[in-house]
């Protein structure tokens, strides 16, 4: 009554799914989807002071040699390099900002669309789908009356039936089962055949959005004739084979053993004072033998096929949902990066500031920036080295002048 034996079809589980769906829907429209509007916002341009406040930044200062271009050469070069790396650039004068991996910001929204779609698919299946399992003998029909579905169900069972017209088992050379096959005839309520098809393990038969799977296979009974009188004896599985027991009196029992529909029927006898059963004979399907004045004919087996069925109306919505989720996960790996550059020129002295941020792959981002500004770092090192040499030379000249004056 509490639904503990069938959790996924219980009313309280459907209620929890509904509450989870409403919660995610509210969170998506309140927090996730509004962020899509921020994708249109343009990044502001920053001066040198603003760039130096960023978590990662570099400030360079150097002097150009005579005869070289001044003012704008560095920022033009950096802009070209950033464009090659896929940055979208906004530039005004000696300032620029670049953005890369904007599509990565769609990851949360795409993932939430997938999660919401998944809940929609689960809800559709819970309210309108059904499933079940039934062993069916040869010649009988699959019934959907014992199918499982939620108590708050809004679906309907099929008006047609599936009749087993053939079923068989294929074995490996060792006798182990290799594959099970069942041929079904889909009939309407008047017995008209609507569709015929064969199913096997991992190869279901689908009709009217109902999938029927081959789940198991066995032998229900053995069909025999005793002096022309037909009798069907139920069997039970015993290891790889199936066996039926026919008591003759208080001390004697006859045992029939068979493997599948093509194998011979082995007939054993067992008395209470025997240590083990003794084999009497083996006969093929359709053949007869005489035992104690009784003519025994082996007509064959009555197979039983295990059929599993389900109707899952929300399956395509679920597949689509997982597609969105996988795309969202892949988009989450794309790093979203910003970079700012400012170049200030005073005569032939250049002050270059570059900085940015990358929430993911920070080390790779910093290495990229270092490689872009490497030529200008060399210029700064050369200029500082030359400045130090000039300073030492000036100090030596000043000392010589002082000595001469003295």
């Amino acid at each position: 009554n509490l639904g503990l034996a069938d959790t996924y079809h219980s009313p309280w589980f459907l209620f929890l799914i509904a509450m989870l769906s409403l919660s995610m829907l509210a969170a998506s429209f309140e927090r996730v989807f509004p962020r899509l509007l921020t994708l249109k916002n343009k990044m502001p341009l920053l001066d040198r002071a603003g760039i130096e406040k960023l978590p990662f930044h570099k400030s360079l200062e150097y002097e150009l040699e005579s005869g070289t271009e001044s003012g704008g050469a560095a920022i033009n070069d950096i802009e070209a390099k950033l464009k090659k790396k896929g940055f979208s650039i906004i530039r005004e004068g000696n300032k620029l900002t670049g953005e890369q991996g904007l599509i990565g910001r769609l990851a949360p929204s795409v993932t939430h669309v997938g999660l919401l779609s998944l809940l929609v698919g689960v809800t559709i299946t819970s309210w309108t789908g059904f499933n079940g399992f039934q062993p069916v003998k040869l010649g009988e029909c699959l019934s959907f009356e014992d199918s499982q579905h939620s108590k708050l169900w809004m679906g309907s069972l099929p008006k047609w039936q599936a009749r087993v017209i053939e079923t068989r088992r294929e074995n490996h050379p060792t006798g182990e089962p290799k594959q099970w096959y069942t041929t079904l005839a889909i009939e309407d309520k008047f017995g008209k055949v609507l569709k015929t098809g064969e199913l096997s393990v991992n190869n279901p038969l689908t009709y009217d959005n109902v999938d029927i799977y081959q789940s198991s296979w066995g032998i229900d009974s053995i069909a025999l004739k005793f002096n022309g009188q037909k009798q069907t004896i139920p069997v039970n599985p015993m290891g790889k084979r199936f066996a039926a027991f026919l008591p003759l009196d208080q001390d004697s029992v006859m045992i029939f053993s068979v493997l599948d529909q093509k194998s011979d029927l082995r007939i054993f006898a067992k008395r209470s004072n025997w240590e083990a059963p003794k084999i009497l004979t083996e006969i093929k399907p359709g053949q007869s033998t005489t035992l104690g004045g009784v003519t025994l004919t082996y007509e064959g087996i009555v197979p039983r096929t295990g059929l599993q069925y389900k109707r899952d109306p929300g399956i395509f919505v679920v597949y689509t949902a997982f597609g969105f989720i996988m795309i969202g996960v892949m988009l989450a790996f794309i790093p979203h990066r910003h970079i700012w550059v400012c170049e200030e020129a005073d005569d032939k002295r250049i002050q270059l500031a570059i900085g940015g941020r990358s929430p993911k792959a920070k080390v790779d981002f910093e290495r990229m920036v270092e490689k872009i500004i490497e030529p200008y770092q060399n210029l700064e090192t050369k200029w500082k080295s030359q400045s130090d040499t000039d300073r030492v030379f000036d100090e030596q000249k000043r000392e010589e002048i002082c000595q001469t004056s003295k």
Side-chain angles (χ1 to χ4, degrees), residues 95-147:
K95 300 177 184 178
L96 70 79
T97 177
E99 189 175 22
Q100 183 192 53
L102 182 62
I103 192 174
R105 294 184 62 186
L106 296 175
S109 300
V110 174
T111 304
H112 268 253
V113 170
L115 293 174
L116 291 174
S117 301
L118 179 62
L119 290 174
V120 170
V122 171
T123 302
I124 293 174
T125 298
S126 298
W127 288 88
T128 61
F130 62 86
N131 61 77
F133 169 82
Q134 183 183 358
V136 184
K137 291 194 295 184
L138 180 66
E140 295 185 354
C141 293
L142 173 66
S143 174
F144 301 102
E145 297 299 327
D146 296 330
S147 61

Side-chain angles (χ1 to χ4, degrees), residues 29-49:
F29 281 96
E30 181 181 357
R31 300 181 181 181
V32 180
F33 296 150
R35 293 182 183 178
L36 296 176
L37 301 177
T38 63
L39 299 181
K40 299 180 180 180
N41 298 339
K42 295 182 179 180
M43 300 305 298
L45 297 166
L46 301 179
D47 56 13
R48 183 175 181 181

Side-chain angles (χ1 to χ4, degrees), residues 117-118 120-122 124-125 128 311-320:
S117 301
L118 179 62
V120 170
V122 171
I124 293 174
T125 298
T128 61
R311 175 181 283 173
D312 192 352
I315 188 66
F316 294 107
V317 180
V318 171
Y319 286 158
T320 304

